[in-house]
Amino acid sequence: MRITVWAATVLVVAGPAYAQQVTVKPVAEARLRYERAEQDGLTNDASDAATIRVRAGVLATTGPWSALVQAQGTLAAVDGYYDGLNGAATRPLIADPQNVALYLAQLQYRRSAVTITAGRQKIALDDERFVGNVAFRDNAQTFDAVRAEITPLKGLKADLTYAWDVRTIWGVDGVGARQQDVGGKNFFATLSYATPIGTLAGFAYLVDQDEAAVQGYRLSSQSYGARFAGTHALSKVVKLSYQASYATQSDYRRNPSHYRADYRLVDAGLEVSGVRLGGGYEVLGADKGVALTSFQTPLATGFKFQGWADKFLTTPADGVRDLYANLGYNAKRLGPFTGVSLHAAYHRFESDRLVRHYGDEVNLLASGRLGKTMISVRYAQYDADRFATDTRKAWLQFDWAL
């Protein structure tokens, strides 16, 4: 890591002296978000958070080489919430603690057939179901890693990563089960081939959560599987999308549990002139009904899956089945806004083992861009039956990038 930071600094400092060879440009983005969470069963059933997140850095490029250094800071302008580290745990959790940290520090070599990235970096593989950046949370998730993306033949791609540290969303004050970083020997590998009807990929994700404080090593796992995803234009205004995935998972390295669980997904959608109707069925299976012996995805961008109320970030002991439907509308322009998106989704959750109804959730989203600012409004409502408690969340968010 020290070598990466030093090398990136050298490139940035050398910019003025070798202007004809090195291009240096600033990188900046900012986010303002208000989030309200209400959860039944707590002493104080409401949390309010207004957070400001700023990232700034520089990108230096010369030929196939580039260096990126970016710092970030998160400030709670309104801190009437429990952030997972500070505040009263009797309030609903809003996982955006205040933070000042180095966000990215990477060197990259890029040619037409190969890209190699070393250092602290964002990694988002496929749909982020297994490995992602968790971009919705203010502090996000990054990896100290070396990654190689190789395209030896047209349509064929190998993506290989060795990560020795995961920088978590809990920031510099992270402690205990919510540490600021989790070390371990993580290996991520995908091999994909693009066909005329979609991309077929095989993958192996070896997750090593080598910290005793993080569930006693019980989140270390090895997952192997395959995924197929594609789209097909039925006419100029009608498009069909589809995906299917299967994986099997078992314990890995120092994990004291011995288990095996499966993952299954089928999803399809039909879009007509900007209106999209879709649905799917996702299963994170269970083994014995013992905690953390069900299918776990601790490095995923969990917010994207199984509802925005975040009830299933850790898969329950009996697994989870998610039957969902969604309806959306996208428009290039609507009034003063561009890139407009309206979205509604319904989820019905059941256990995989014993098939008990957990609860139901509704998600709503409206977003659009005004100049360089993306504005979004979200709402999530989880109605509990046999798992967790009723929860409601609302967000108003402004994102800006240079």
Side-chain angles (χ1 to χ4, degrees), residues 149-196:
E149 300 168 79
I150 305 167
T151 308
L153 300 171
K154 183 179 179 180
L156 181 65
K157 180 180 179 180
D159 194 327
L160 309 171
T161 297
Y162 169 64
W164 58 89
D165 204 20
V166 180
R167 312 298 300 192
T168 75
I169 65 171
W170 305 111
V172 294
D173 294 327
V175 67
R178 292 170 173 159
Q179 296 194 0
Q180 64 170 303
D181 65 301
V182 180
K185 298 176 181 178
N186 302 277
F187 296 92
F188 315 137
T190 65
L191 181 64
S192 61
Y193 182 71
T195 75

Tab-separated table of all heavy atoms in Angstrom, residues 149-196:
chain	number	residue	atom	x	y	z
A	149	GLU	N	-7.658	-7.844	-15.612
A	149	GLU	CA	-8.762	-8.082	-16.540
A	149	GLU	C	-8.149	-8.349	-17.909
A	149	GLU	O	-7.521	-7.471	-18.502
A	149	GLU	CB	-9.689	-6.872	-16.580
A	149	GLU	CG	-10.303	-6.540	-15.232
A	149	GLU	CD	-10.979	-5.180	-15.216
A	149	GLU	OE1	-12.107	-5.074	-15.725
A	149	GLU	OE2	-10.365	-4.215	-14.700
A	150	ILE	N	-8.345	-9.571	-18.411
A	150	ILE	CA	-7.657	-10.019	-19.617
A	150	ILE	C	-8.682	-10.453	-20.655
A	150	ILE	O	-9.605	-11.223	-20.361
A	150	ILE	CB	-6.710	-11.188	-19.291
A	150	ILE	CG1	-5.727	-10.771	-18.170
A	150	ILE	CG2	-5.951	-11.642	-20.526
A	150	ILE	CD1	-4.969	-11.934	-17.574
A	151	THR	N	-8.509	-9.970	-21.881
A	151	THR	CA	-9.391	-10.342	-22.993
A	151	THR	C	-8.537	-10.954	-24.094
A	151	THR	O	-8.110	-10.253	-25.032
A	151	THR	CB	-10.155	-9.114	-23.522
A	151	THR	OG1	-10.791	-8.442	-22.440
A	151	THR	CG2	-11.217	-9.518	-24.538
A	152	PRO	N	-8.248	-12.243	-24.019
A	152	PRO	CA	-7.353	-12.861	-25.005
A	152	PRO	C	-7.992	-13.007	-26.384
A	152	PRO	O	-7.297	-13.002	-27.398
A	152	PRO	CB	-7.045	-14.225	-24.393
A	152	PRO	CG	-8.230	-14.529	-23.527
A	152	PRO	CD	-8.700	-13.202	-22.996
A	153	LEU	N	-9.330	-13.174	-26.414
A	153	LEU	CA	-10.060	-13.323	-27.662
A	153	LEU	C	-11.316	-12.463	-27.612
A	153	LEU	O	-11.818	-12.143	-26.528
A	153	LEU	CB	-10.458	-14.789	-27.879
A	153	LEU	CG	-9.331	-15.823	-27.965
A	153	LEU	CD1	-9.921	-17.228	-27.957
A	153	LEU	CD2	-8.477	-15.600	-29.201
A	154	LYS	N	-11.831	-12.097	-28.754
A	154	LYS	CA	-13.038	-11.307	-28.801
A	154	LYS	C	-14.180	-12.030	-28.084
A	154	LYS	O	-14.477	-13.182	-28.371
A	154	LYS	CB	-13.440	-11.023	-30.251
A	154	LYS	CG	-14.667	-10.142	-30.365
A	154	LYS	CD	-15.021	-9.864	-31.817
A	154	LYS	CE	-16.269	-8.990	-31.920
A	154	LYS	NZ	-16.638	-8.714	-33.329
A	155	GLY	N	-14.783	-11.354	-27.106
A	155	GLY	CA	-15.906	-11.920	-26.372
A	155	GLY	C	-15.513	-12.711	-25.144
A	155	GLY	O	-16.356	-12.996	-24.294
A	156	LEU	N	-14.246	-13.104	-25.034
A	156	LEU	CA	-13.780	-13.907	-23.908
A	156	LEU	C	-13.014	-13.023	-22.936
A	156	LEU	O	-12.095	-12.314	-23.327
A	156	LEU	CB	-12.881	-15.042	-24.393
A	156	LEU	CG	-12.336	-15.998	-23.324
A	156	LEU	CD1	-13.479	-16.773	-22.681
A	156	LEU	CD2	-11.303	-16.950	-23.934
A	157	LYS	N	-13.377	-13.085	-21.656
A	157	LYS	CA	-12.728	-12.233	-20.662
A	157	LYS	C	-12.484	-13.003	-19.373
A	157	LYS	O	-13.367	-13.696	-18.874
A	157	LYS	CB	-13.580	-11.000	-20.354
A	157	LYS	CG	-12.956	-10.069	-19.316
A	157	LYS	CD	-13.835	-8.855	-19.033
A	157	LYS	CE	-13.192	-7.954	-17.981
A	157	LYS	NZ	-14.031	-6.764	-17.678
A	158	ALA	N	-11.267	-12.852	-18.845
A	158	ALA	CA	-10.922	-13.386	-17.532
A	158	ALA	C	-10.698	-12.216	-16.586
A	158	ALA	O	-10.004	-11.257	-16.921
A	158	ALA	CB	-9.668	-14.249	-17.618
A	159	ASP	N	-11.295	-12.298	-15.399
A	159	ASP	CA	-11.192	-11.233	-14.398
A	159	ASP	C	-10.714	-11.876	-13.102
A	159	ASP	O	-11.435	-12.665	-12.486
A	159	ASP	CB	-12.560	-10.574	-14.210
A	159	ASP	CG	-12.484	-9.255	-13.455
A	159	ASP	OD1	-11.611	-9.128	-12.571
A	159	ASP	OD2	-13.301	-8.357	-13.736
A	160	LEU	N	-9.484	-11.546	-12.687
A	160	LEU	CA	-8.842	-12.206	-11.555
A	160	LEU	C	-8.412	-11.176	-10.525
A	160	LEU	O	-7.762	-10.185	-10.865
A	160	LEU	CB	-7.629	-13.002	-12.022
A	160	LEU	CG	-7.849	-13.978	-13.191
A	160	LEU	CD1	-6.522	-14.516	-13.688
A	160	LEU	CD2	-8.772	-15.107	-12.779
A	161	THR	N	-8.751	-11.400	-9.255
A	161	THR	CA	-8.411	-10.463	-8.182
A	161	THR	C	-7.877	-11.205	-6.971
A	161	THR	O	-8.432	-12.242	-6.568
A	161	THR	CB	-9.653	-9.651	-7.753
A	161	THR	OG1	-10.115	-8.863	-8.844
A	161	THR	CG2	-9.320	-8.722	-6.587
A	162	TYR	N	-6.817	-10.660	-6.402
A	162	TYR	CA	-6.360	-11.072	-5.072
A	162	TYR	C	-6.464	-9.841	-4.182
A	162	TYR	O	-5.840	-8.809	-4.448
A	162	TYR	CB	-4.922	-11.578	-5.089
A	162	TYR	CG	-4.348	-11.754	-3.696
A	162	TYR	CD1	-4.896	-12.699	-2.822
A	162	TYR	CD2	-3.295	-10.964	-3.237
A	162	TYR	CE1	-4.378	-12.857	-1.540
A	162	TYR	CE2	-2.780	-11.114	-1.953
A	162	TYR	CZ	-3.330	-12.058	-1.109
A	162	TYR	OH	-2.841	-12.201	0.161
A	163	ALA	N	-7.271	-9.924	-3.132
A	163	ALA	CA	-7.483	-8.807	-2.206
A	163	ALA	C	-7.043	-9.224	-0.816
A	163	ALA	O	-7.498	-10.243	-0.297
A	163	ALA	CB	-8.947	-8.387	-2.196
A	164	TRP	N	-6.173	-8.410	-0.218
A	164	TRP	CA	-5.677	-8.744	1.115
A	164	TRP	C	-6.330	-7.912	2.217
A	164	TRP	O	-6.101	-8.154	3.386
A	164	TRP	CB	-4.160	-8.573	1.167
A	164	TRP	CG	-3.675	-7.197	0.810
A	164	TRP	CD1	-3.499	-6.137	1.645
A	164	TRP	CD2	-3.294	-6.739	-0.492
A	164	TRP	NE1	-3.044	-5.038	0.959
A	164	TRP	CE2	-2.893	-5.385	-0.360
A	164	TRP	CE3	-3.241	-7.333	-1.752
A	164	TRP	CZ2	-2.462	-4.622	-1.444
A	164	TRP	CZ3	-2.816	-6.573	-2.830
A	164	TRP	CH2	-2.430	-5.238	-2.681
A	165	ASP	N	-7.161	-6.952	1.825
A	165	ASP	CA	-7.835	-6.136	2.835
A	165	ASP	C	-9.109	-5.551	2.239
A	165	ASP	O	-9.121	-5.112	1.085
A	165	ASP	CB	-6.916	-5.004	3.305
A	165	ASP	CG	-7.276	-4.496	4.695
A	165	ASP	OD1	-7.958	-5.227	5.435
A	165	ASP	OD2	-6.890	-3.371	5.037
A	166	VAL	N	-10.171	-5.551	3.028
A	166	VAL	CA	-11.447	-4.955	2.632
A	166	VAL	C	-11.675	-3.733	3.514
A	166	VAL	O	-11.747	-3.855	4.745
A	166	VAL	CB	-12.617	-5.948	2.789
A	166	VAL	CG1	-13.921	-5.292	2.369
A	166	VAL	CG2	-12.357	-7.210	1.990
A	167	ARG	N	-11.781	-2.559	2.901
A	167	ARG	CA	-12.058	-1.328	3.642
A	167	ARG	C	-13.569	-1.177	3.723
A	167	ARG	O	-14.240	-0.999	2.713
A	167	ARG	CB	-11.425	-0.119	2.953
A	167	ARG	CG	-9.977	-0.303	2.567
A	167	ARG	CD	-9.056	-0.534	3.744
A	167	ARG	NE	-9.069	0.564	4.698
A	167	ARG	CZ	-8.209	0.712	5.684
A	167	ARG	NH1	-7.254	-0.205	5.876
A	167	ARG	NH2	-8.283	1.743	6.504
A	168	THR	N	-14.117	-1.231	4.909
A	168	THR	CA	-15.562	-1.344	5.089
A	168	THR	C	-16.261	0.007	5.121
A	168	THR	O	-15.624	1.065	5.162
A	168	THR	CB	-15.886	-2.089	6.399
A	168	THR	OG1	-15.651	-1.197	7.504
A	168	THR	CG2	-15.021	-3.330	6.556
A	169	ILE	N	-17.583	-0.037	5.173
A	169	ILE	CA	-18.394	1.181	5.233
A	169	ILE	C	-18.324	1.846	6.600
A	169	ILE	O	-18.817	2.968	6.761
A	169	ILE	CB	-19.861	0.880	4.901
A	169	ILE	CG1	-20.491	-0.031	5.962
A	169	ILE	CG2	-19.983	0.278	3.509
A	169	ILE	CD1	-21.994	-0.193	5.829
A	170	TRP	N	-17.680	1.198	7.592
A	170	TRP	CA	-17.685	1.741	8.960
A	170	TRP	C	-16.610	2.792	9.184
A	170	TRP	O	-16.614	3.471	10.209
A	170	TRP	CB	-17.562	0.593	9.965
A	170	TRP	CG	-18.615	-0.432	9.767
A	170	TRP	CD1	-18.461	-1.710	9.318
A	170	TRP	CD2	-20.031	-0.252	9.947
A	170	TRP	NE1	-19.683	-2.340	9.220
A	170	TRP	CE2	-20.664	-1.466	9.607
A	170	TRP	CE3	-20.828	0.819	10.372
A	170	TRP	CZ2	-22.040	-1.649	9.661
A	170	TRP	CZ3	-22.206	0.635	10.431
A	170	TRP	CH2	-22.800	-0.575	10.082
A	171	GLY	N	-15.692	2.967	8.259
A	171	GLY	CA	-14.747	4.070	8.349
A	171	GLY	C	-13.672	3.898	9.406
A	171	GLY	O	-13.507	2.815	9.983
A	172	VAL	N	-12.964	4.981	9.678
A	172	VAL	CA	-11.767	4.910	10.527
A	172	VAL	C	-12.082	4.576	11.979
A	172	VAL	O	-11.188	4.144	12.718
A	172	VAL	CB	-10.979	6.241	10.464
A	172	VAL	CG1	-10.421	6.461	9.068
A	172	VAL	CG2	-11.847	7.415	10.900
A	173	ASP	N	-13.308	4.776	12.419
A	173	ASP	CA	-13.668	4.464	13.804
A	173	ASP	C	-14.232	3.064	13.963
A	173	ASP	O	-14.660	2.694	15.059
A	173	ASP	CB	-14.682	5.493	14.335
A	173	ASP	CG	-14.085	6.885	14.449
A	173	ASP	OD1	-12.873	6.973	14.734
A	173	ASP	OD2	-14.818	7.872	14.248
A	174	GLY	N	-14.250	2.283	12.899
A	174	GLY	CA	-14.789	0.939	12.969
A	174	GLY	C	-14.099	0.089	14.013
A	174	GLY	O	-12.881	0.158	14.198
A	175	VAL	N	-14.879	-0.728	14.712
A	175	VAL	CA	-14.332	-1.519	15.813
A	175	VAL	C	-15.193	-2.767	15.999
A	175	VAL	O	-16.365	-2.804	15.600
A	175	VAL	CB	-14.292	-0.683	17.111
A	175	VAL	CG1	-15.705	-0.380	17.598
A	175	VAL	CG2	-13.485	-1.375	18.213
A	176	GLY	N	-14.601	-3.789	16.599
A	176	GLY	CA	-15.357	-5.008	16.891
A	176	GLY	C	-15.855	-5.681	15.632
A	176	GLY	O	-15.133	-5.821	14.648
A	177	ALA	N	-17.109	-6.100	15.639
A	177	ALA	CA	-17.686	-6.768	14.477
A	177	ALA	C	-17.840	-5.834	13.292
A	177	ALA	O	-18.012	-6.287	12.157
A	177	ALA	CB	-19.043	-7.366	14.845
A	178	ARG	N	-17.759	-4.507	13.560
A	178	ARG	CA	-17.856	-3.500	12.495
A	178	ARG	C	-16.509	-2.781	12.360
A	178	ARG	O	-16.385	-1.603	12.626
A	178	ARG	CB	-18.986	-2.523	12.810
A	178	ARG	CG	-20.362	-3.187	12.736
A	178	ARG	CD	-21.458	-2.327	13.277
A	178	ARG	NE	-22.769	-2.934	13.035
A	178	ARG	CZ	-23.874	-2.649	13.707
A	178	ARG	NH1	-23.832	-1.760	14.690
A	178	ARG	NH2	-25.010	-3.239	13.410
A	179	GLN	N	-15.526	-3.520	11.939
A	179	GLN	CA	-14.171	-2.991	11.852
A	179	GLN	C	-14.002	-2.080	10.647
A	179	GLN	O	-14.725	-2.186	9.660
A	179	GLN	CB	-13.169	-4.138	11.780
A	179	GLN	CG	-13.154	-5.006	13.027
A	179	GLN	CD	-11.951	-5.923	13.092
A	179	GLN	OE1	-11.108	-5.930	12.206
A	179	GLN	NE2	-11.854	-6.702	14.153
A	180	GLN	N	-12.993	-1.196	10.735
A	180	GLN	CA	-12.725	-0.299	9.611
A	180	GLN	C	-12.173	-1.065	8.409
A	180	GLN	O	-12.361	-0.648	7.267
A	180	GLN	CB	-11.743	0.799	10.012
A	180	GLN	CG	-10.356	0.329	10.384
A	180	GLN	CD	-9.371	1.470	10.542
A	180	GLN	OE1	-9.170	2.263	9.624
A	180	GLN	NE2	-8.798	1.609	11.723
A	181	ASP	N	-11.489	-2.175	8.648
A	181	ASP	CA	-11.009	-3.007	7.549
A	181	ASP	C	-10.923	-4.452	8.038
A	181	ASP	O	-10.723	-4.715	9.219
A	181	ASP	CB	-9.654	-2.529	7.039
A	181	ASP	CG	-8.552	-2.683	8.076
A	181	ASP	OD1	-8.670	-2.105	9.181
A	181	ASP	OD2	-7.576	-3.376	7.791
A	182	VAL	N	-11.078	-5.356	7.095
A	182	VAL	CA	-11.046	-6.784	7.401
A	182	VAL	C	-9.996	-7.433	6.512
A	182	VAL	O	-10.119	-7.448	5.283
A	182	VAL	CB	-12.421	-7.448	7.175
A	182	VAL	CG1	-12.353	-8.934	7.503
A	182	VAL	CG2	-13.491	-6.761	8.018
A	183	GLY	N	-8.950	-7.961	7.140
A	183	GLY	CA	-7.892	-8.611	6.383
A	183	GLY	C	-8.248	-10.037	6.018
A	183	GLY	O	-9.178	-10.633	6.557
A	184	GLY	N	-7.478	-10.580	5.079
A	184	GLY	CA	-7.697	-11.956	4.659
A	184	GLY	C	-7.192	-12.177	3.256
A	184	GLY	O	-6.932	-11.235	2.508
A	185	LYS	N	-7.053	-13.440	2.887
A	185	LYS	CA	-6.593	-13.806	1.546
A	185	LYS	C	-7.824	-14.114	0.688
A	185	LYS	O	-8.305	-15.254	0.641
A	185	LYS	CB	-5.660	-15.010	1.625
A	185	LYS	CG	-4.394	-14.732	2.431
A	185	LYS	CD	-3.533	-15.984	2.565
A	185	LYS	CE	-2.287	-15.694	3.391
A	185	LYS	NZ	-1.447	-16.896	3.578
A	186	ASN	N	-8.327	-13.075	0.014
A	186	ASN	CA	-9.521	-13.198	-0.807
A	186	ASN	C	-9.138	-13.387	-2.277
A	186	ASN	O	-8.275	-12.668	-2.797
A	186	ASN	CB	-10.387	-11.946	-0.685
A	186	ASN	CG	-10.820	-11.655	0.738
A	186	ASN	OD1	-11.793	-12.202	1.235
A	186	ASN	ND2	-10.079	-10.776	1.411
A	187	PHE	N	-9.811	-14.320	-2.948
A	187	PHE	CA	-9.589	-14.544	-4.376
A	187	PHE	C	-10.941	-14.475	-5.097
A	187	PHE	O	-11.894	-15.153	-4.699
A	187	PHE	CB	-8.958	-15.917	-4.618
A	187	PHE	CG	-7.590	-16.083	-4.025
A	187	PHE	CD1	-7.442	-16.597	-2.742
A	187	PHE	CD2	-6.455	-15.728	-4.740
A	187	PHE	CE1	-6.182	-16.755	-2.185
A	187	PHE	CE2	-5.189	-15.880	-4.185
A	187	PHE	CZ	-5.050	-16.386	-2.903
A	188	PHE	N	-10.998	-13.663	-6.148
A	188	PHE	CA	-12.207	-13.550	-6.962
A	188	PHE	C	-11.821	-13.860	-8.409
A	188	PHE	O	-10.874	-13.270	-8.940
A	188	PHE	CB	-12.806	-12.141	-6.911
A	188	PHE	CG	-12.888	-11.545	-5.531
A	188	PHE	CD1	-12.538	-10.223	-5.316
A	188	PHE	CD2	-13.314	-12.297	-4.443
A	188	PHE	CE1	-12.608	-9.658	-4.058
A	188	PHE	CE2	-13.389	-11.742	-3.173
A	188	PHE	CZ	-13.031	-10.418	-2.983
A	189	ALA	N	-12.545	-14.747	-9.046
A	189	ALA	CA	-12.232	-15.112	-10.425
A	189	ALA	C	-13.512	-15.307	-11.218
A	189	ALA	O	-14.436	-16.006	-10.764
A	189	ALA	CB	-11.386	-16.385	-10.467
A	190	THR	N	-13.575	-14.685	-12.385
A	190	THR	CA	-14.687	-14.918	-13.309
A	190	THR	C	-14.121	-15.134	-14.707
A	190	THR	O	-13.134	-14.506	-15.095
A	190	THR	CB	-15.685	-13.741	-13.346
A	190	THR	OG1	-15.043	-12.581	-13.869
A	190	THR	CG2	-16.224	-13.441	-11.958
A	191	LEU	N	-14.750	-15.996	-15.441
A	191	LEU	CA	-14.421	-16.232	-16.838
A	191	LEU	C	-15.721	-16.141	-17.619
A	191	LEU	O	-16.649	-16.916	-17.378
A	191	LEU	CB	-13.778	-17.604	-17.031
A	191	LEU	CG	-13.359	-17.954	-18.461
A	191	LEU	CD1	-12.257	-17.016	-18.942
A	191	LEU	CD2	-12.893	-19.408	-18.550
A	192	SER	N	-15.806	-15.173	-18.530
A	192	SER	CA	-17.065	-14.929	-19.228
A	192	SER	C	-16.869	-14.938	-20.740
A	192	SER	O	-15.780	-14.646	-21.252
A	192	SER	CB	-17.649	-13.571	-18.802
A	192	SER	OG	-16.768	-12.509	-19.136
A	193	TYR	N	-17.950	-15.279	-21.417
A	193	TYR	CA	-17.939	-15.287	-22.883
A	193	TYR	C	-19.247	-14.680	-23.381
A	193	TYR	O	-20.340	-15.091	-22.980
A	193	TYR	CB	-17.788	-16.706	-23.424
A	193	TYR	CG	-17.721	-16.753	-24.932
A	193	TYR	CD1	-16.598	-16.275	-25.606
A	193	TYR	CD2	-18.791	-17.244	-25.679
A	193	TYR	CE1	-16.537	-16.294	-26.986
A	193	TYR	CE2	-18.739	-17.271	-27.061
A	193	TYR	CZ	-17.601	-16.793	-27.713
A	193	TYR	OH	-17.544	-16.806	-29.082
A	194	ALA	N	-19.112	-13.670	-24.233
A	194	ALA	CA	-20.273	-12.973	-24.778
A	194	ALA	C	-20.777	-13.692	-26.018
A	194	ALA	O	-20.034	-13.836	-27.000
A	194	ALA	CB	-19.916	-11.528	-25.105
A	195	THR	N	-22.005	-14.150	-25.980
A	195	THR	CA	-22.646	-14.800	-27.112
A	195	THR	C	-23.660	-13.830	-27.720
A	195	THR	O	-23.974	-12.798	-27.133
A	195	THR	CB	-23.361	-16.082	-26.667
A	195	THR	OG1	-24.576	-15.728	-25.981
A	195	THR	CG2	-22.479	-16.912	-25.732
A	196	PRO	N	-24.211	-14.144	-28.867
A	196	PRO	CA	-25.209	-13.250	-29.470
A	196	PRO	C	-26.459	-13.045	-28.617
A	196	PRO	O	-27.173	-12.054	-28.791
A	196	PRO	CB	-25.556	-13.956	-30.788
A	196	PRO	CG	-24.331	-14.757	-31.109
A	196	PRO	CD	-23.815	-15.231	-29.788
